[in-house]
Structures are given as C-alpha cells and as structure tokens.
Amino acid sequence: MRKMLATSDQENIARALIDARGRKTPLTAYPGAMPQTMAEAYAIQDSAIALDGRRIGGWKVGRIAPELVTRYGGNRLTGPIFADEIVGAAEQPVMPVYADGFAAAEAEVLLCFGEVGTRDYDIDSVKHCIADVRTGIEIASSPFPEINRHGPAVTASDYGNNKGLILGPPIAGWEDADLIRMPVEMTIDGETVGTATMEAMLDGPFGSALFLIRILRARGIAIPPGTWVSAGAITGIHEIRPSQRAEAIFDGKIRVGCSIRSF
C-alpha cells in the first residue's frame, strides 16, 4: 500500500471524528464521504493523528472479514492506541466508552516491540524484535455507533475503533509457549460470552506484528522500542455497556479485568 496524502475533505472528516471524541458526543452519521479503500482510510487516520497530537503508545490490529479481503487488498487493519489510554490491569481500571456510540471489549494477546530497526522480517524472524508478550483487553469504542457496519475502511478511519488498552500479566516463557492453542475465555458480568484459541487468527499474533511493521513502514511511521501491539480479538468483539465488567481468562489461570463507565 502506498501512502496517500489526505484531501481537504478527508482532513475535515478527521477533524470531525476527533472533535466528536473530544466532546464525547455521538455521531448519528459518518461526517463525510466514507472511505472506499484502505489508503483513503489511513489518509484520514494519519490526519487525525496529526491533529490529535498525543503520543502513540501502541497499535491495535484487527481482522478484515474473508469476503472483503479481495476488495480491500489485505486481511488486517490497524489503528493507534494513545499512551494516555494504556493502563495496567493491577490498577483495577475503569475504562470510559462512548455510551451512545459503539463500545466493546476484546480479549487479546499483547506484544511489545524492542528494537525493530530497518531489517526485513518474516513470520519466524519477527519474534526477534519482540521484547515482551502479555495478556490483555482492548477497549473498542467510537462516537459513531455504526462504525463496524460499513466495512474496514470506515473502521480504520476512526482510529480503528480503539479507545484503550489494559496490560495484563505477562506470559512466562512465551518464546517457547504454544500461544496458538492457548484457550481464552471472555466474560461480561461473570457470564461467558466467548471462548476460543488463536488458531483462527490467520497466522497468529506474530503475524499481526509482521503486518504492523510493514504497514507502518509504508506510511512512514516509526516504531520506537516499547510500542505495544494489540494483536487481534481472540474470542470475538463483545459489545458492552457502562457499569458492566469484562474479564478475560487466558490458559484457565491468567485473569485480566476492567470495569466500564460512560464519559
């Protein structure tokens, strides 16, 4: 994918998206012409990042539905996770969402980049630039309640539908662990809403890291050491409401939880 500079219309969309986020007001309609390609989506996203001005502490990676891969030219999308919205699970976090927009919680494996450099990677060698692997939860939320109903380009244009990340306990011995087959369970208010392993996640969390390196390089975005990768929803995208509590359970013993509140 080649980097595309935002048009004035796309800059206006970016401004409207971050204004809605900043003011915590819902968007009853997408604020302009919906992007039709991932290049258009990332032009809007890049413009929003520049206008926002906050430091990026990580990136979420999501899957593009198989039936849309040919149309959009790939099987994953990404969006920024800002450093001030990354919290530790030990802090018993209460995560804000847009109550009149879209809100969901996702059980994810989190990878932390060390020194990435300029070398080329493949699915095996990319592990060498990973410094840490943790359990976690991504909070997906947008002022636009229909963000996931119009295809991956619309989702990517609004920060990939991200609104925070909870860093859970590390996965000991991850270098040799069989991460792909690790069972994961997601609960909301104590009720199981999804169970799965990472076997259905394309080429797994390290494939997400490889995708991210390639797409950010194509967009001219650096990956400093300490950058987190939220590698993709394992058990699904579970919609959630303020006052509810989400908890992800990895390998039957590692627990990561958070409570949800409205802005």
Side-chain angles (χ1 to χ4, degrees), residues 36-66:
Q36 299 301 306
T37 67
M38 296 312 295
E40 292 175 2
Y42 291 133
I44 295 169
Q45 187 187 109
D46 288 345
S47 182
I49 289 170
L51 288 166
D52 193 305
R54 287 179 293 165
R55 183 173 70 86
I56 294 172
W59 296 84
K60 64 85 55 74
V61 175
R63 184 173 184 176
I64 293 176

Side-chain angles (χ1 to χ4, degrees), residues 5-261:
L5 296 178
T7 65
S8 59
D9 287 344
Q10 289 168 340
E11 289 177 350
N12 289 336
I13 291 171
R15 187 172 290 106
L17 290 171
I18 64 171
D19 282 352
R21 282 176 173 258
R23 295 172 182 168
K24 287 81 175 176
T25 54
L27 288 169
T28 56
Y30 191 80
M34 293 183 179
Q36 299 301 306
T37 67
M38 296 312 295
E40 292 175 2
Y42 291 133
I44 295 169
Q45 187 187 109
D46 288 345
S47 182
I49 289 170
L51 288 166
D52 193 305
R54 287 179 293 165
R55 183 173 70 86
I56 294 172
W59 296 84
K60 64 85 55 74
V61 175
R63 184 173 184 176
I64 293 176
E67 65 273 16
L68 298 176
V69 167
T70 299
R71 174 180 172 184
Y72 289 97
N75 54 22
R76 286 182 167 102
L77 62 84
T78 189
I81 307 173
F82 292 98
D84 63 354
E85 295 180 337
I86 299 177
V87 300
E91 301 171 29
Q92 299 295 312
V94 180
M95 304 297 286
V97 299
Y98 302 102
D100 294 321
F102 179 89
E106 305 169 12
E108 310 217 359
V109 163
L110 316 178
L111 314 179
C112 185
F113 281 120
E115 188 65 48
V116 175
T118 59
R119 65 170 287 186
D120 290 331
Y121 293 96
D122 59 24
I123 192 64
D124 295 316
S125 62
V126 75
K127 294 181 181 181
H128 300 314
C129 69
I130 302 300
D132 192 13
V133 177
R134 294 197 186 193
T135 56
I137 295 175
E138 182 203 348
I139 299 300
S141 192
S142 167
F144 183 41
E146 296 186 355
I147 186 168
N148 286 345
R149 299 180 187 175
H150 299 280
V154 168
T155 300
S157 71
D158 186 22
Y159 292 161
N161 197 12
N162 178 264
K163 194 52 187 168
L165 188 66
I166 298 103
L167 302 178
I171 298 176
W174 62 266
E175 297 92 339
D176 302 312
D178 189 5
L179 294 181
I180 293 293
R181 293 178 177 82
M182 177 186 291
V184 181
E185 177 184 3
M186 189 71 173
T187 69
I188 294 179
D189 289 343
E191 297 292 327
T192 299
V193 293
T195 59
T197 67
M198 285 168 268
E199 292 177 279
M201 286 178 57
L202 301 173
D203 46 5
F206 296 105
S208 293
L210 182 62
F211 159 81
L212 190 62
I213 290 172
R214 290 173 175 171
I215 195 70
L216 293 185
R217 283 176 174 173
R219 292 164 62 187
I221 298 174
I223 306 174
T227 298
W228 287 97
V229 185
S230 193
I234 301 169
T235 65
I237 301 169
H238 307 293
E239 294 194 31
I240 198 165
R241 300 186 306 275
S243 80
Q244 291 189 308
R245 178 173 175 78
E247 186 175 57
I249 307 164
F250 295 80
D251 204 21
K253 57 192 176 186
I254 306 174
R255 293 177 177 266
V256 187
C258 68
S259 299
I260 303 297
R261 68 173 177 86

